[in-house]
Amino acid sequence: THFGFETVAEAIKEQKVRGVFSSVASSYDTMNDLMSLGIHRLWKDHFVRNLNPGRNPLASTSTPTSTPGSASEPQGWNILDIAGGTGDIAFRMLDHASTINNDAHTRVTVADINPDMLTEGRKRALSTPYARSPRLKFIEANAETLDMIPSSSIDLYTVAFGIRNFTHKDTALREAFRVLKPGGVFACLEFSKLQNPVLDAVYKRWSFGAIPLIGQVVAGDRDSYQYLVESIERFPSQTEFRDMIKEAGFLVPGQGWEDLTGGIAAIHKGVKP
Ligand code: SAM
């Protein structure tokens, strides 16, 4: 605004988000289990299986239309996992590329704004085959300003349970569009809106009532968990978010999203034309 209040409020929000994730970094799995009733692992498995990362060298002639990037490239995919935190999605994508697509070249850059989450991710990488591999990289970056990532260089951009924390979601979507190659895919897994009003009432009761309380008991941190519940509530509906993706320039296949567990979470996709 004229007096810069908006900028101050945004800076405070960004600081708050940093603080929340610094304090939940070590109790991260507990947090996810609480917020998703334990189902986040299945959603993440489904998200990755559905994206089918990697370029199968034996099936190069039958490239599906949904395969990002240029089919003529011999090497694997260049994937950017934004708000990748502890590496949950990145490890799954590398495992999938290696074991399902026999692709030992696909690489993932995990970008996150929070150094504590990245530290947790690097620590976890030590128990995977990718710890010292050039296929996995961690960088500290804000999704809204990815200056270190060249334009049109990424085959697949993923963001799981991250975008609702961004201050300017539209700016982050435009950055996603910029860094993707033509044909590249934007894929987002995020908490969403339950379609059934009865289930929605039950879930709201659970999330607003129990989660901050359990956060306090389990992690000694009520405020962070309260913030996370509220950030889910504030996030746009499936159709609104689909329209934001279109607004950033993406082509949206079909209705544009897939509901998971009745809409507790949803996967949105967009393709850069
Ligand atoms: N993607 C991981 C997963 O699904 O397990 C981590 C999700 S965690 C709930 C959300 C992450 O978003 C945190 O690690 C946080 O630091 C990160 N984050 C929040 N705002 C960000 C921003 N503007 N740019 C990049 N990362 C951000």
Side-chain angles (χ1 to χ4, degrees), residues 17 21 28 44 83-85 88 112-114 117 141-143 160-161 166:
V17 170
F21 287 104
Y28 184 68
K44 287 173 178 172
D88 256 27
D112 199 287
I113 203 170
N114 190 308
M117 291 295 279
N142 184 338
F161 304 115
F166 301 173

Side-chain angles (χ1 to χ4, degrees), residues 25-184:
S26 56
S27 57
Y28 184 68
D29 283 337
T30 317
M31 179 195 90
N32 276 339
D33 285 335
L34 286 176
M35 312 280 302
S36 72
L37 307 173
I39 317 171
H40 71 104
R41 296 160 206 273
L42 302 179
W43 293 339
K44 287 173 178 172
D45 289 344
H46 174 75
F47 182 58
V48 169
R49 204 177 319 119
N50 180 264
L51 291 170
N52 192 18
R55 191 165 280 126
N56 189 336
L58 304 175
S60 53
T61 49
S62 59
T63 310
T65 49
S66 62
T67 297
S70 152
S72 60
E73 274 176 47
Q75 301 290 301
W77 292 5
N78 188 16
I79 302 177
L80 182 61
D81 183 35
I82 288 284
T86 56
D88 256 27
I89 300 295
F91 305 150
R92 278 177 173 78
M93 290 196 289
L94 289 170
D95 285 345
H96 184 102
S98 307
T99 58
I100 307 294
N101 285 324
N102 302 308
D103 169 356
H105 296 287
T106 280
R107 57 211 177 277
V108 181
T109 301
V110 176
D112 199 287
I113 203 170
N114 190 308
D116 296 315
M117 291 295 279
L118 291 166
T119 301
E120 195 63 27
R122 286 195 189 93
K123 216 187 294 171
R124 289 181 186 205
L126 294 175
S127 53
T128 73
Y130 317 110
R132 276 170 200 83
S133 155
R135 299 179 64 196
L136 179 66
K137 203 164 67 177
F138 289 90
I139 61 168
E140 193 179 320
N142 184 338
E144 295 171 20
T145 41
L146 298 172
D147 300 342
M148 69 300 283
I149 311 285
S151 300
S152 304
S153 64
I154 301 294
D155 294 291
L156 172 63
Y157 174 118
T158 52
V159 56
F161 304 115
I163 203 163
R164 73 175 189 280
N165 302 294
F166 301 173
T167 311
H168 302 105
K169 296 167 188 51
D170 48 350
T171 311
L173 286 170
R174 282 199 300 274
E175 270 299 77
F177 188 85
R178 179 186 68 77
V179 300
L180 279 164
K181 295 174 186 174

Side-chain angles (χ1 to χ4, degrees), residues 34-35 37 194 196-214 222 226 229 232-233 264:
L34 286 176
M35 312 280 302
L37 307 173
L194 269 154
N196 179 312
V198 177
L199 291 180
D200 186 45
V202 173
Y203 182 69
K204 282 218 174 79
R205 231 186 134 83
W206 156 256
S207 52
F208 279 93
I211 290 178
L213 188 65
I214 301 174
R222 186 187 179 92
Q226 181 75 38
V229 170
I232 293 175
E233 182 61 18
I264 295 183

